[in-house]
Amino acid sequence: MIEKIRMAELTSEEARQELTGDAVVLLPMGSLEDQGIHAPMGDYMAADLMAVEIARMARADGVACFVAPVIPFGGKDYFESSHGGISISHTTLAALLDDMFGCLNRHGIRKLMIINGHGGNVPAITEVALRWRQKAGLFVPSMYLWQVAYGQLPALIGAETAQKTSGHGGDPLTSVGLHFYPDLLRPDLRRPAPAGSEIKGMKISGFSSISYDGANIQVPIEALEATETGAYGCDPSLCSAETGAALVARLASIGAGLVRDHVARGLHD
């Protein structure tokens, strides 16, 4: 099997030889937004590196697995308030995914899996994946990395610790960043997320909600109104490279297993 994993590194002749109907292609995507004042804004970097880890592990199981160029801009949501952040409309993101699916499908590359690192991408992913299943029989799973990671953290670091570290600007992304690219983080800026934010006299209970009479009510707020540090509901100072390494290993195992056991066998209708 060729050593190159990233599609961008293949020559056109190598692409013709390697990107056959048996090949699995991973499509990484993320965002460019506030990840906490201590962390780099581009969480797409972690999604891209996770895709490579998954591909490497899948290759060890004999699967010809490649990684497509990462989509760095996330779908618009409450994080558009991030200074320097860049987001794109859901219509634009869906159109981009639609075009990627179309190009790959044209060349008979139909074993696809999305490696997603941003919640704001989920609506566009759902729309496009359903459309391509209906019109072409493609069945494309999407692994939302950080959603999966939240579920894995209690077993890796203990439920009590996970409760303290889990949240935007904390685990899983800060620990994963400390593992993948520690030189890009600013540990000196880490501090517990602020609490008690209010808007129009109501207590903010999340990036898009307020609390009223024991219920969470969705409201049109932006991330900066919930937290000035980008961190919410967690203590980033408790994150660690060790936790990041354990998370990366677990996420890679889950992703590669899904590729090996299902995607590589073909999931088409």
Side-chain angles (χ1 to χ4, degrees), residues 54-264:
I54 291 169
R56 284 176 177 156
M57 192 171 289
R59 284 188 173 203
D61 290 330
V63 178
C65 194
F66 296 86
V67 177
V70 65
I71 300 176
F73 306 126
K76 288 185 183 295
D77 60 12
Y78 32 79
F79 281 104
E80 195 174 14
S81 59
S82 301
H83 185 82
I86 299 175
S87 60
I88 57 180
S89 70
H90 291 283
T91 300
T92 300
L93 183 58
L96 178 57
L97 278 172
D98 195 67
D99 285 346
M100 292 178 74
F101 278 35
C103 289
L104 294 169
N105 183 64
R106 174 185 178 181
H107 298 290
I109 305 166
R110 294 168 54 84
K111 296 177 180 179
L112 312 175
M113 186 165 87
I114 293 172
I115 307 299
N116 179 35
H118 177 55
N121 295 338
V122 172
I125 293 170
T126 301
E127 176 186 336
V128 174
L130 280 171
R131 178 160 60 243
W132 276 91
R133 183 184 183 190
Q134 292 161 1
K135 78 174 185 178
L138 291 183
F139 194 93
V140 182
S142 176
M143 183 178 179
Y144 181 9
L145 293 168
W146 316 137
Q147 185 180 66
V148 175
Y150 281 131
Q152 301 299 311
L153 272 168
L156 294 174
I157 62 176
E160 184 176 346
T161 301
Q163 186 175 17
K164 295 176 182 178
T165 66
S166 296
H168 193 271
D171 275 335
L173 195 52
T174 289
S175 287
V176 169
L178 287 168
H179 170 70
F180 275 142
Y181 33 76
D183 292 343
L184 297 183
L185 278 85
R186 289 282 305 275
D188 58 303
L189 295 178
R190 290 189 293 175
R191 61 178 185 268
S197 298
E198 294 188 353
I199 186 168
K200 300 185 181 298
M202 299 177 289
K203 181 180 178 181
I204 293 175
S205 58
F207 283 121
S208 62
S209 65
I210 55 91
S211 177
Y212 175 75
D213 197 18
N216 287 328
I217 309 297
Q218 187 174 0
V219 293
I221 61 176
E222 296 190 282
L224 279 177
E225 294 174 309
T227 169
E228 71 273 13
T229 69
Y232 189 85
C234 62
D235 186 352
S237 66
L238 300 176
C239 301
S240 69
E242 292 75 20
T243 296
L247 274 171
V248 167
R250 181 65 183 135
L251 292 172
S253 176
I254 294 170
L258 184 58
V259 167
R260 179 194 65 232
D261 295 340
H262 297 286
V263 181

